[in-house]
Amino acid sequence: MKKILFLLILLSTHYNTQVIKDSILGNPKFVKEYVIFLNDSGPFTFMRGDNEYGHSIRMVPKILRESMRDTWFETDFCRYINNETYYDKNRNVTKEIWYYKSGEIVDDYDYTYDNLNRLATERSKNDRSEDNYRFFYDKNSKVLKFREIYSKWKDEPMKKYIHNIESNKPLFVSKFDTITRTDSIFAITDFVWKKVGENSFQEGNDSIFRKKLSRVNFYDNEFQIKESKFFDYKLDYYNKKLFQSGYTKYEYDLLGRIKKETQIKDDKYHYFIPEKNGKYREEIKDGGYASISSTDYEHYNDGNLKTRTHFYQGNISNQIQFVYKNNHIEKLIYLDTWGKTKDDLKPTEVIFKYKFDKQKNWTEVIKNVNGKDLYKWVRQIEYY
């Protein structure tokens, strides 16, 4: 019970529902949203030739929305967004169209749902290609079993693919030791590397499913995770050992909220070879790069995040302080040390100025950076 209680606390810490970002209250029918760049500002780009949506970003709605939301509310710059979204009375998205700044369509999506309100079909289309998906579930559950895809590129014939979702996602099982308060999590998988040349391998599947260690959690006396070790069985071409891919330590405040996460790498490579008795023998090799990165969290009394600070090798990488008003982020104090000397370091003050409709949804937010209005995020919302 304590373990379950801790997990609920952990989730509430990272996904606090009190703060409203880009969510929409009520029963929307149609939303048109776009960003306007003010005072000679523009979207954040990394390299010359990047389009307005950014560099090497997957142009799918979920990632585009997350990219816009996260940079808008947690940085001093701005990504790009421009779409129209239609909803049914169950708040399901039935259609969405994404646009470039020029007005050209990125992709046009259509969705249908079955009588259990599950996604049944999805179609995405642009000038170059079209993809049609059908989804098949396990009886009356929400568990997706198969995905059927019809894909067509311009001037090429239609191709059909069928994905067995279960075969692509390994089953995870855990074994908890009450004496040592250690939780070992295993992936049940048929994944193997197949040798196709003297020094060449390709991913494949075996006829046998094996249990391979994926993660080990170490708990303190309060059943809070104090350490985690992560393992990746896909980094060994000979299918004989596990590679330790991460090691994280956690610290908590008096209310059980995470106040510090630390990722530690030494200058070694750690491999773990399974023995016949079910235990693992550690093999250590030189050649790694030692590093320590960490994140510190500070919270307000109401549980909302106040400050988040990233460190690398003991030095501040970036820091954000949040100020809230009426469940919205009103101000950021943002510090980024990338490419700056100590003499150049100055925090940026970001102020958000909202306009609301009668449903208490914001319809316009101006992002003011160091006293200058630079970006405006607009939402036109129609309701049922």
mmCIF file of all heavy atoms in Angstrom, residues 4 109 163 175 244 288 295 364:
data_model
loop_
_atom_site.group_PDB
_atom_site.id
_atom_site.type_symbol
_atom_site.label_atom_id
_atom_site.label_comp_id
_atom_site.label_asym_id
_atom_site.label_seq_id
_atom_site.Cartn_x
_atom_site.Cartn_y
_atom_site.Cartn_z
ATOM 1 N N ILE A 4 2.126 1.939 -3.502
ATOM 2 C CA ILE A 4 1.095 2.527 -4.364
ATOM 3 C C ILE A 4 0.901 3.993 -4.013
ATOM 4 O O ILE A 4 0.769 4.859 -4.878
ATOM 5 C CB ILE A 4 -0.225 1.757 -4.209
ATOM 6 C CG1 ILE A 4 -0.058 0.326 -4.738
ATOM 7 C CG2 ILE A 4 -1.354 2.460 -4.950
ATOM 8 C CD1 ILE A 4 -1.256 -0.557 -4.489
ATOM 9 N N TYR A 109 -5.847 15.436 -41.431
ATOM 10 C CA TYR A 109 -6.179 14.201 -40.717
ATOM 11 C C TYR A 109 -7.686 14.058 -40.547
ATOM 12 O O TYR A 109 -8.399 15.043 -40.289
ATOM 13 C CB TYR A 109 -5.556 14.205 -39.318
ATOM 14 C CG TYR A 109 -4.049 14.213 -39.298
ATOM 15 C CD1 TYR A 109 -3.346 15.416 -39.389
ATOM 16 C CD2 TYR A 109 -3.321 13.032 -39.175
ATOM 17 C CE1 TYR A 109 -1.960 15.435 -39.355
ATOM 18 C CE2 TYR A 109 -1.932 13.043 -39.141
ATOM 19 C CZ TYR A 109 -1.266 14.244 -39.237
ATOM 20 O OH TYR A 109 0.108 14.262 -39.207
ATOM 21 N N HIS A 163 0.647 -4.456 -38.436
ATOM 22 C CA HIS A 163 1.517 -4.480 -37.259
ATOM 23 C C HIS A 163 0.808 -5.179 -36.110
ATOM 24 O O HIS A 163 -0.311 -4.808 -35.736
ATOM 25 C CB HIS A 163 1.874 -3.049 -36.834
ATOM 26 C CG HIS A 163 2.815 -2.385 -37.774
ATOM 27 N ND1 HIS A 163 3.115 -1.044 -37.695
ATOM 28 C CD2 HIS A 163 3.524 -2.860 -38.832
ATOM 29 C CE1 HIS A 163 3.965 -0.728 -38.656
ATOM 30 N NE2 HIS A 163 4.225 -1.817 -39.353
ATOM 31 N N LYS A 175 9.573 -8.317 -9.997
ATOM 32 C CA LYS A 175 9.785 -9.187 -8.846
ATOM 33 C C LYS A 175 10.290 -8.328 -7.702
ATOM 34 O O LYS A 175 11.380 -7.751 -7.780
ATOM 35 C CB LYS A 175 10.798 -10.289 -9.187
ATOM 36 C CG LYS A 175 11.053 -11.249 -8.042
ATOM 37 C CD LYS A 175 12.067 -12.314 -8.445
ATOM 38 C CE LYS A 175 12.322 -13.277 -7.280
ATOM 39 N NZ LYS A 175 13.348 -14.298 -7.660
ATOM 40 N N GLN A 244 24.380 -1.660 -18.828
ATOM 41 C CA GLN A 244 23.778 -0.696 -17.899
ATOM 42 C C GLN A 244 23.783 0.669 -18.569
ATOM 43 O O GLN A 244 24.818 1.285 -18.764
ATOM 44 C CB GLN A 244 24.555 -0.635 -16.585
ATOM 45 C CG GLN A 244 23.912 0.329 -15.583
ATOM 46 C CD GLN A 244 24.607 0.315 -14.238
ATOM 47 O OE1 GLN A 244 24.869 -0.744 -13.678
ATOM 48 N NE2 GLN A 244 24.926 1.497 -13.718
ATOM 49 N N GLY A 288 34.549 4.506 -20.821
ATOM 50 C CA GLY A 288 33.375 5.366 -20.689
ATOM 51 C C GLY A 288 33.756 6.812 -20.415
ATOM 52 O O GLY A 288 34.923 7.143 -20.174
ATOM 53 N N THR A 295 18.829 17.428 -11.640
ATOM 54 C CA THR A 295 17.735 18.402 -11.673
ATOM 55 C C THR A 295 17.218 18.611 -10.266
ATOM 56 O O THR A 295 16.898 17.646 -9.571
ATOM 57 C CB THR A 295 16.583 17.914 -12.577
ATOM 58 O OG1 THR A 295 17.095 17.593 -13.871
ATOM 59 C CG2 THR A 295 15.517 18.984 -12.706
ATOM 60 N N GLU A 364 -6.260 34.173 -26.185
ATOM 61 C CA GLU A 364 -5.081 34.889 -26.656
ATOM 62 C C GLU A 364 -4.080 34.999 -25.517
ATOM 63 O O GLU A 364 -4.449 35.297 -24.381
ATOM 64 C CB GLU A 364 -5.462 36.278 -27.161
ATOM 65 C CG GLU A 364 -4.290 37.129 -27.616
ATOM 66 C CD GLU A 364 -4.737 38.531 -28.033
ATOM 67 O OE1 GLU A 364 -5.568 38.629 -28.965
ATOM 68 O OE2 GLU A 364 -4.255 39.511 -27.431
#
